[in-house]
Each structure stands twice: as C-alpha cells, then as structure tokens.
Amino acid sequence: MSSGQQVLIELRKMIISGEIAGGSRLAEIPTAEMLGVSRQPIRMAFRLLEQEGLLVKNPTRGYTVREISSKLVHDALHVRGVLEGLAAKTLAEKGMTIDQHQTLLNCITQIDSIFNKPELTSDDLETYHHYNTIFHNTIIQGSDNIAIVQALSKNNQLPMASAQALTYDKNNALSEIRRLQYAHIQHCSIFNALKQQDSARAESLMREHSHVVTLGETMRSIFHTDGSI
C-alpha cells in the first residue's frame, strides 16, 4: 500500500474514533511530524478527507476537523443503502452483461485471496480497497441511472458515506478482519442475487451492506454491555 493510502486510512480512523477531536485544527507540518511522514501524503490525505466531509478547509490555512455525530454517520449510511439498494435492484431486473458479471466475479475472487492468512498486511488492505471500490462502482454504473449516480456523489461528501472510506483499526485487528470478511460474504451474496436476477434480495442485501462500516463498533458495544435489556 502506498504511504499516501496508509496515511489516509490512519487519519480517517483517528478522526472517526475521536482520537483527533472534532473542532481541532490540522496543519501539514505538525501532522506530518506526528505520523513520521513527509508533507506530500499529508496534503493528499487532507484533500480527500475534505471531500469525504471529515475536514473543513479554513479560510486562511490548514483544516478543521468536522464535528461528527453517530446520527450523522447513520443517516448518511442509510441514504447510501437506499440508493445502492435501488441500483442493485435495477441491475438485477435488467440482468448483468457478461462484462459486469466477470468484473464482479473478479472482485470477489481477488478479495477472497487476502483472507487465506491470519493477519492482513498493508498490501492486503490496498487490494480490498481497490476491488471493493470497483465492485460498488460496477453496480452503481450498471443501474444506468444518472439520478442515482449524482445522488450518491453528493451523499459521499458526508462522513463515512463513501464505499471508498476504508477504515482499519490495527488495535482491534481481529474484529476488523471479521468485519471485512463479513463484508466480503455480503459481496458474494449480492453477486449471487444479481446473477439470479432476484431484485428484491439484491436490494435488501445492498441496503444491509451499507452499514458494515459500523459493524466493528456494534460488536464492541454488544460485548461490553452490562447485560441489561
């Protein structure tokens, strides 16, 4: 994985987890020193995180971390699920082309290969990110619905709404691997529904899939509960 991608994932995780608090001001040089990298990957990460709605560019210099609530993330993921669900339903009703079938199958095959070992490397995360993006884009573009494409593009500007907003917490590696494996299994089920032209199931699975980004936090909240109902 490139240093830029590693920096992007690390900063995204730090903002989402609250390690870098909302309202904090970020500048290139201090952030580069904090992460032990050059300014170039920091500059690239800042621009992408601004596009994702996690940073707000200051009028003078640097960025401010956006205040993020769980409701904002939930609402953005819900809208993404509705839109991507509609895209999957539309594609299932039309039926996949040979190229779409092969592209989605290749994405599943490539991602499956990274789970044949107990730990994920930076290269494995790069592979996941690359083919996960292609998988989602193939379904979205396959709907041939410009309204869906434009609505998703707008929604992707909200925190954690984009399929490209990959997070991975090395401090919780086991639960993170489980989360990505679960997402992979969902991909397989979505592909199968599309293949069978089961539009209702394709839509339902795609809606559920949008919330996999919060699955790790959901699992931690369940296992740290005091047992009350």
Side-chain angles (χ1 to χ4, degrees):
M1 180 184 292
S2 67
S3 61
Q5 187 68 17
Q6 292 181 55
V7 167
L8 176 62
I9 291 175
E10 181 63 18
L11 282 175
R12 186 187 290 126
K13 186 267 294 183
M14 293 173 77
I15 292 171
I16 292 297
S17 67
E19 188 175 346
I20 300 179
S24 300
R25 294 176 65 90
L26 293 180
E28 288 181 13
I29 294 178
T31 307
E33 292 175 347
M34 176 180 69
L35 297 180
V37 297
S38 68
R39 294 174 62 182
Q40 180 60 32
I42 297 295
R43 186 178 301 118
M44 182 188 75
F46 280 178
R47 290 172 182 168
L48 292 174
L49 291 172
E50 180 189 11
Q51 293 173 16
E52 293 177 13
L54 293 176
L55 295 180
V56 178
K57 190 170 180 59
N58 296 328
T60 53
R61 180 180 298 179
Y63 293 81
T64 298
V65 178
R66 182 174 182 172
E67 298 281 356
I68 303 170
S69 67
S70 58
K71 182 180 185 303
L72 176 61
V73 173
H74 177 273
D75 289 348
L77 291 175
H78 178 72
V79 171
R80 172 185 154 191
V82 171
L83 292 170
E84 288 196 342
L86 180 57
K89 176 185 176 183
T90 304
L91 180 56
E93 289 173 343
K94 291 168 45 180
M96 291 186 290
T97 65
I98 294 176
D99 284 347
Q100 289 164 346
H101 180 281
Q102 288 303 118
T103 297
L104 293 178
L105 180 59
N106 183 57
C107 289
I108 290 172
T109 302
Q110 295 295 331
I111 291 177
D112 191 67
S113 66
I114 73 174
F115 295 116
N116 293 327
K117 44 195 168 183
E119 297 181 359
L120 297 183
T121 65
S122 294
D123 287 341
D124 292 329
L125 292 176
E126 178 71 16
T127 296
Y128 183 91
H129 177 268
H130 178 71
Y131 288 104
N132 178 63
T133 300
I134 294 174
F135 185 90
H136 283 263
N137 286 344
T138 299
I139 293 174
I140 293 165
Q141 297 296 330
S143 71
D144 195 26
N145 186 320
I146 190 63
I148 293 176
V149 174
Q150 291 186 351
L152 275 168
S153 178
K154 185 69 174 177
N155 192 64
N156 285 346
Q157 296 173 25
L158 294 172
M160 302 310 296
S162 172
Q164 297 189 50
L166 175 66
T167 59
Y168 187 81
D169 185 356
K170 295 178 181 178
N171 295 324
N172 293 285
L174 181 57
S175 64
E176 290 289 71
I177 292 173
R178 287 173 174 172
R179 178 173 64 86
L180 294 182
Q181 283 181 316
Y182 181 67
H184 172 57
I185 292 170
Q186 288 181 318
H187 281 179
C188 294
S189 297
I190 291 166
F191 173 72
N192 193 50
L194 291 171
K195 184 178 177 180
Q196 295 179 355
Q197 294 190 259
D198 187 340
S199 60
R201 180 164 174 74
E203 179 179 22
S204 176
L205 288 167
M206 204 67 176
R207 283 193 176 210
E208 176 65 24
H209 180 60
S210 68
H211 290 275
V212 74
V213 68
T214 62
L215 182 61
E217 185 61 34
T218 300
M219 291 172 62
R220 284 189 286 275
S221 68
I222 291 173
F223 292 123
H224 287 82
T225 184
D226 60 4
S228 59
I229 303 299

